[in-house]
């Protein structure tokens, strides 16, 4: 196989892997939108908050240390332990469930029957609050996240792909990040688990009932408040997974919340109400943006057009999503909404 | 009764406002938002140094410093709002730590008659004091940094880089694009091929750029990043096994924050700097005695000695020295913004002065003049030692190639002057 073809395949594979990372964030949005019609603006910040909490617990950081020290005159920063990653993840999950409970109790409960835009605005407020609260609790410094996930170049894959080229060609093999492969496996497990949960458990069926029709679900005795806590807890779990994957890649820092920007075109393309749609949308966006960048930055394109174009990924993802919307306004897998007027 | 209330209100307003003789140093800082992890240590260093001067010396020339901190979140609009809301409080100098904010407030500050010091950032051609009377960027500019980095590469390569490829991985913003013009000129002069790779804000996803680097194998990669872009790039470089000692960041891509996530794999990463590293300077004893031990540290007191803390401290030190110079020139301790500008333009930093301030050998000796607001542009290369968890300076001071940079500054400043209708000053 020619090196050009192998390069193209490498870009495609990496694009698909990047797409999985976007889909991990998009999943949280879908879960909440599907069950309550709320576009949760705070999903990116939830991923950041989960990752900060995880690192804080792992490294034994004293929460609100700055505040405590300023008020009491003490100088405490760490408890002095290093918690095993598994335990820290479980405790972080507990914190995210607690957060879901508080969100329902303090925000959503008071906004039942309000317009979706009101609920959306509430999540904007929640995002700002949570970002500041996270900073206050765990500080805004960059933190190293290591939960033992494999990372870096897969030498096995590099060696195996090297054999696809002519030995004389001097091809150095394809690059795949082991962390991206791990993320793909985790995302697949997550989607399977969520699908099984919603199809085969009582709580899952209740969730689908609420998603289909709030009023009808309430009339048969399903507790809307319980469903909301449950769904925000699951979204917290998804945020934790996304936070771990992205945090392992870039470190845990305040800009991690901006990964939500990468999830928006995925949602537009895959549909706001479909779990498989988030995955497929992520794959299309990831592969599409990487291939487009590869194409427009190539010497061939430059020679043909005379243009120097780069950094296309951010806008191209949205253009691609908009193109799909022209033909399927509800996204590839979203529910078609027909309203009588 | 009404009179009493009016008097009470008036006395409260007086108490809340600035004391007439205070020297007001506004701080346009960012402790929140996407770039907080870099904004915090810089702000802490800046604030702590000013606190030290107040506590140890009783202020500048007997006048206490009043610090008014305004949160910009590294957002240009908020930065401009901060400027507008603080300029009326007797502001002497602005150091916004953002190229975007600097660009926006240059015309405003020029009209208001308040000096800006964009130390190692902002608009490079502001080094031309004939055009930019109110803007200073000493002791070095982006273009100096680019030149110093290329000079270091030439040195490593034994004096010849012709035929080599140097890639620039840059933040796709006004800041990131600053060095391109200089690097293009340097590539013509030295015969290397320049490869440009843009990364969009915030830079959390750089797979395309690093696949391209892996394919094209440039001999060196220079980085013009900020915030999340830096650690992500260093992590990706480690992933594709790019040799770290051939990966060189600008001074805004060379903090501890940038290398932490990659762990041991970041070992050998280099960055240009214009000041010393670490906390092995006598000033740290003073900071401990007068600031941290008294519980007066701006933050948690955990940033001391880091690269960005040192830079914030250096920025504050240069502002204080300029204020002292202004007091000497005008024979009054209660200086205003115009006097402060005069002090900045007459600033002279000597090795003796640095030693007396507790920072021996920390930064270059230089003097500012009417025509030259940019300083000498001298840089050094620092390298990350992952095992020790610290940067070490590995080169002597490197002078930039002013033969290339000088005409570029003049060209850009002239274009700005023509566009803004500014008649360049005559400087003797």
């Amino acid at each position: 196989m020619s090196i050009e073809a192998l390069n193209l395949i490498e870009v495609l594979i990496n694009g698909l892997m990047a797409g999985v990372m976007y889909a991990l964030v998009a999943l949280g949005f879908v879960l909440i939108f599907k069950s309550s019609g709320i576009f949760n603006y705070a999903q990116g910040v939830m991923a950041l908050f989960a990752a900060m909490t995880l690192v804080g617990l792992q490294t034994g950081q004293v929460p609100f240390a700055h505040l405590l020290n300023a008020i009491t005159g003490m100088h405490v920063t760490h408890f002095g332990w290093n918690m095993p990653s598994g335990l820290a993840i479980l405790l972080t999950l507990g914190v995210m469930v607690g957060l879901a409970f508080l969100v329902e109790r303090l925000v959503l409960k008071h906004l039942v029957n309000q317009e979706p835009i009101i609920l959306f605005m509430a999540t904007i407020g929640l995002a700002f609050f949570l970002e500041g609260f996270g900073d206050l609790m765990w500080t805004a410094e960059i933190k190293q996240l290591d939960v033992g996930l494999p990372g870096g170049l897969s030498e096995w894959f590099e060696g195996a792909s090297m054999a696809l080229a002519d030995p004389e060609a001097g091809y150095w093999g394809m690059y795949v990040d082991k962390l991206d492969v791990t993320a793909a496996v985790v995302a697949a497990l997550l989607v399977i688990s969520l699908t099984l949960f919603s199809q085969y458990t009582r709580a899952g069926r209740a969730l689908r009932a609420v998603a289909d029709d709030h009023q009808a679900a309430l009339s048969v005795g399903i507790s809307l408040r319980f469903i909301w806590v449950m769904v925000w807890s699951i979204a917290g779990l998804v945020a934790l997974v996304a936070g771990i994957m992205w945090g392992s890649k870039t470190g845990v820092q305040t800009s991690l919340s901006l990964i939500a920007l990468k999830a928006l075109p995925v949602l537009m393309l895959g549909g706001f109400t479909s779990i498989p749609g988030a995955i497929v949308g992520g794959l299309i966006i990831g592969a599409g943006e990487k291939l487009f960048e590869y194409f427009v930055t190539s010497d061939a394109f430059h020679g043909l057009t005379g243009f120097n174009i780069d950094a296309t990924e951010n806008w191209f993802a949205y253009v691609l999503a908009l193109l799909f919307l022209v033909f399927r306004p509800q996204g590839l897998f979203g529910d078609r909404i027909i309203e009588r007027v | 009764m009404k009179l009493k209330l009016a008097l009470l209100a008036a006395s409260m307003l007086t108490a809340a406002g600035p004391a007439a003789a205070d020297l007001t140093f506004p701080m346009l800082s960012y402790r929140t938002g996407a770039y907080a992890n870099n904004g915090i240590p810089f702000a802490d260093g800046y604030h702590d140094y000013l606190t030290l001067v107040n506590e140890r010396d009783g202020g500048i020339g007997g006048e206490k410093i009043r610090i008014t901190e305004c949160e910009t979140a590294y957002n240009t609009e908020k930065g401009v709002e901060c400027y507008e809301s603080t300029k009326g409080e007797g502001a002497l100098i602005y150091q916004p730590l953002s190229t975007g904010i600097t660009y926006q407030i240059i015309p405003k500050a020029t009209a208001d008659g308040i000096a800006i010091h964009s130390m190692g950032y902002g608009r490079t051609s502001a080094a031309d004091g004939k055009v930019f009377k109110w803007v200073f960027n000493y002791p070095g500019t982006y273009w100096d940094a680019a030149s110093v980095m290329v000079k270091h590469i030439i040195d490593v390569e034994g004096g010849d880089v012709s035929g080599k490829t140097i890639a620039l991985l840059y933040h796709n913003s006004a800041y990131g694009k600053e060095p391109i013009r200089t690097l293009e000129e340097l590539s013509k002069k030295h015969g290397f091929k320049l490869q440009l790779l843009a990364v969009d804000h915030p830079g959390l996803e750089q797979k395309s750029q690093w696949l391209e680097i892996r394919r094209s194998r440039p001999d060196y990669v220079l980085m013009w990043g900020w915030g999340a872009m830096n650690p992500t790039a260093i992590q990706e470089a480690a992933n594709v096994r790019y040799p770290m000692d051939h990966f060189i960041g600008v001074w805004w891509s060379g903090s501890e924050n940038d290398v932490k996530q990659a762990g041991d794999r970041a070992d050998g990463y280099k960055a240009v700097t214009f000041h010393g590293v670490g906390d092995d300077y006598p000033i740290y004893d003073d900071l401990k005695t007068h600031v941290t031990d008294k519980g007066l540290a701006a933050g948690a007191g955990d940033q001391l000695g880091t690269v960005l803390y040192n830079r914030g401290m250096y920025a504050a030190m240069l502002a204080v020295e300029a204020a002292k110079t202004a007091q000497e020139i005008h024979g009054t301790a209660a200086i205003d913004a115009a006097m402060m500008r005069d002090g900045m333009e007459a600033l002279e930093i000597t090795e003796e002065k640095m030693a007396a301030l507790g920072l021996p050998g920390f930064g270059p000796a230089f003097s500012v003049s009417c025509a030259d607001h940019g300083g000498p542009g001298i840089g050094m290369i620092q390298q990350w030692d992952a095992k020790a968890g610290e940067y070490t300076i590995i080169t002597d001071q490197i002078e930039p190639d002013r033969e290339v940079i000088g005409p570029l500054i003049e060209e850009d400043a002239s274009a700005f002057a023509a566009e803004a209708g500014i008649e360049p000053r005559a400087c003797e």
Side-chain angles (χ1 to χ4, degrees), chain A residues 38-234:
Chain A
I38 301 172
F39 179 80
N40 178 23
Y41 186 83
Q43 189 64 32
V45 185
M46 280 170 65
L48 167 66
F49 181 75
M52 284 172 119
T53 305
L54 175 59
V55 179
L57 290 171
Q58 249 187 325
T59 56
Q61 205 183 331
V62 177
F64 305 106
H66 287 189
L67 199 62
L68 285 174
N69 295 340
I71 294 169
T72 63
M74 295 189 302
H75 190 71
V76 290
T77 53
H78 287 84
F79 291 115
W81 72 54
N82 274 314
M83 195 181 282
S85 300
L87 181 59
I89 290 172
L90 280 177
L91 288 175
T92 306
L93 192 55
V95 171
M96 296 311 286
V97 172
L99 178 71
F101 180 78
L102 287 173
V103 167
E104 194 282 327
R105 181 56 66 91
L106 301 174
V107 183
L108 301 177
K109 184 181 140 184
H110 306 284
L111 298 174
V112 174
N113 285 333
Q114 293 292 329
E115 293 289 319
I117 189 70
I118 304 289
L119 291 158
F120 171 63
M121 298 291 273
T123 66
I124 293 179
L126 179 66
F128 282 111
F129 170 77
L130 205 53
E131 190 169 331
F133 187 73
D135 279 359
L136 194 66
M137 193 169 174
W138 301 115
T139 75
E141 292 157 27
I142 187 167
K143 298 166 187 74
Q144 189 180 356
L145 175 60
D146 183 7
V147 291
L149 292 176
L153 177 140
S154 165
E155 287 172 9
W156 172 82
F157 192 76
E158 188 185 46
S161 55
M162 217 183 282
L164 295 171
D166 183 349
E168 307 283 303
Y171 183 59
W172 48 81
M174 287 185 203
Y175 165 73
V176 169
D177 187 347
K178 285 182 272 187
L179 183 69
D180 288 346
V181 178
T182 311
V185 172
V186 169
L189 289 174
L190 207 57
V191 169
I192 291 167
S193 312
L194 289 171
T195 308
L196 291 176
F197 172 78
S198 67
Q199 296 289 337
Y200 298 107
T201 64
R202 193 181 164 84
R205 280 196 294 272
L207 191 149
R208 282 164 51 212
V210 170
D212 283 346
D213 191 327
H214 283 193
Q215 301 285 355
L218 280 170
S219 70
V220 295
I222 295 171
S223 163
L224 193 58
R225 291 180 59 188
F226 168 72
I227 294 296
W228 275 359
V229 170
M230 184 177 74
V231 121
W232 277 75
S233 300
I234 298 172

Side-chain angles (χ1 to χ4, degrees), chain B residues 130-199:
Chain B
K130 295 196 288 294
V131 173
F132 294 91
K133 184 181 172 187
W134 293 91
V135 191
F136 299 80
N137 46 14
Y138 52 77
T141 69
Y142 288 137
W143 295 353
D144 293 323
S147 168
V148 167
M149 289 154 101
V150 170
K151 270 195 160 184
H152 172 65
I153 292 171
I154 292 170
D155 188 40
V156 171
E157 290 294 323
D160 183 18
V161 287
S162 54
K164 302 274 179 195
T165 302
I166 299 177
L168 173 69
L169 185 77
Y170 66 97
H171 195 270
N172 196 21
S173 62
Y175 152 65
K177 289 173 186 170
E178 274 278 334
I180 293 176
R181 183 88 172 84
T182 306
L183 288 171
E184 282 170 347
E185 291 301 317
L186 290 169
S187 110
K188 281 182 213 157
K189 181 174 176 176
H190 298 291
F192 64 82
K193 186 187 167 203
L194 178 65
Q195 184 184 7
L196 299 175
L197 297 159
V199 176

Side-chain angles (χ1 to χ4, degrees), chain B residues 65-224:
Chain B
I65 300 167
R66 194 170 71 90
I67 308 161
T68 51
E69 195 161 349
C70 186
E71 174 66 36
T72 70
Y74 196 65
N75 176 307
T76 300
E77 284 171 25
K78 282 190 191 170
V80 173
E81 282 170 22
C82 279
Y83 170 81
E84 293 293 347
S85 66
T86 54
K87 72 177 185 186
E89 298 183 19
L92 293 180
I93 181 174
Y94 280 93
Q95 297 183 305
L97 191 61
S98 156
T99 293
I101 297 172
T102 303
Y103 265 76
Q104 289 303 313
I105 67 172
I106 282 175
K108 291 173 181 291
T110 303
D112 295 332
I114 306 172
I116 297 171
H117 181 203
S118 53
M119 186 181 79
Y121 60 91
R123 185 172 191 133
T124 295
S125 59
D128 187 339
K130 295 196 288 294
V131 173
F132 294 91
K133 184 181 172 187
W134 293 91
V135 191
F136 299 80
N137 46 14
Y138 52 77
T141 69
Y142 288 137
W143 295 353
D144 293 323
S147 168
V148 167
M149 289 154 101
V150 170
K151 270 195 160 184
H152 172 65
I153 292 171
I154 292 170
D155 188 40
V156 171
E157 290 294 323
D160 183 18
V161 287
S162 54
K164 302 274 179 195
T165 302
I166 299 177
L168 173 69
L169 185 77
Y170 66 97
H171 195 270
N172 196 21
S173 62
Y175 152 65
K177 289 173 186 170
E178 274 278 334
I180 293 176
R181 183 88 172 84
T182 306
L183 288 171
E184 282 170 347
E185 291 301 317
L186 290 169
S187 110
K188 281 182 213 157
K189 181 174 176 176
H190 298 291
F192 64 82
K193 186 187 167 203
L194 178 65
Q195 184 184 7
L196 299 175
L197 297 159
V199 176
D200 267 331
H201 163 82
L204 292 165
E205 172 57 37
Q206 299 176 26
K207 197 70 82 192
S208 294
Q209 291 77 11
W210 285 96
L211 283 175
E212 177 55 36
I213 287 170
R214 190 166 175 272
R215 277 193 298 271
S216 56
R217 309 254 160 143
D219 298 285
Y220 290 86
V221 176
L222 308 182
M223 174 156 65
W224 236 262

Side-chain angles (χ1 to χ4, degrees), chain A residues 252-333:
Chain A
V252 178
Q253 51 188 306
T254 38
S255 56
L256 202 65
S257 62
L258 299 175
I259 52 172
L261 294 175
K262 282 290 187 184
L264 284 180
V266 172
L267 291 164
M268 288 158 69
L269 200 151
F272 280 75
T273 52
S274 167
I275 291 171
I279 298 293
V280 175
L283 294 175
I284 293 174
I285 291 287
E289 66 177 25
K290 296 284 180 287
L291 286 172
F292 184 74
E293 175 93 3
Y294 176 68
F295 175 67
V296 298
T297 55
S298 66
D299 290 341
F301 180 82
H302 177 63
L304 204 67
T305 63
F307 290 127
N308 269 324
I309 304 174
D310 52 15
T312 61
E313 288 167 272
N314 273 6
W315 61 263
F316 181 75
Y318 284 89
V319 170
L320 192 61
L322 286 171
L323 280 176
F324 272 81
L325 285 186
V326 172
F327 300 102
R328 283 190 65 86
Q330 68 275 32
L332 281 178
F333 296 86

